[in-house]
Amino acid sequence: QLQLVESGGGLVHPGGSLRLSCAASGFTLDYSAIGWFRQAPGKEREGVSCISRSSGTNYADSVKGRFTISRDNAKNTVYLQMNALKPEDTAVYYCARMGMGFFGLCPLSTSRGYDYWGQGTQVTVSS
């Protein structure tokens, strides 16, 4: 009943853009912090960006200036706008909900505390 569904992934050339969506159901998104994580083949999952309950945002150093996270509470959806994509951005991207007991700025250094996860959407950046 609580669900997150990612969409918007695909194949894009280096320098291109994609807009990922994370649609939530079964809970009120505006009371939740949402994070985007990614996992590339052979690599561990890493935090990309997150948005807190107060709409404060956090970004990994590798994506600062290129990615923008936002939230549309009316649509119960969080977005990740990805610009100037690089081959190293290739990964499966997951959105996740931070536990409801957390009210600070969402963390990216660990995935612990994120209690619901989507199935992921593939982003491939290649020439």
Side-chain angles (χ1 to χ4, degrees), residues 3 9 19 25 32 49 63 68 75 84 87 111:
Q3 188 176 17
R19 185 179 179 90
S25 61
S32 302
S49 183
V63 307
T68 303
K75 296 181 178 179
S111 61

Side-chain angles (χ1 to χ4, degrees), residues 66-87:
R66 299 189 298 121
F67 291 10
T68 303
I69 191 170
S70 62
R71 178 169 58 203
D72 187 335
N73 290 333
K75 296 181 178 179
N76 220 32
T77 300
V78 168
Y79 303 97
L80 184 67
Q81 178 67 46
M82 306 186 298
N83 298 324
L85 284 162
K86 304 174 180 179

Side-chain angles (χ1 to χ4, degrees), residues 22-93:
C22 174
S25 61
F27 67 96
T28 303
L29 186 58
D30 58 346
Y31 289 104
S32 302
I34 300 294
W36 284 97
F37 293 79
R38 66 187 181 187
Q39 187 164 21
K43 296 184 178 180
E44 296 183 357
R45 183 170 56 193
E46 64 175 337
V48 177
S49 183
C50 61
I51 185 165
S52 69
R53 291 173 176 84
S54 64
S55 295
T57 57
N58 198 6
Y59 297 92
D61 289 341
S62 60
V63 307
K64 286 181 179 178
R66 299 189 298 121
F67 291 10
T68 303
I69 191 170
S70 62
R71 178 169 58 203
D72 187 335
N73 290 333
K75 296 181 178 179
N76 220 32
T77 300
V78 168
Y79 303 97
L80 184 67
Q81 178 67 46
M82 306 186 298
N83 298 324
L85 284 162
K86 304 174 180 179
E88 50 264 44
D89 294 318
T90 296
V92 177
Y93 284 70

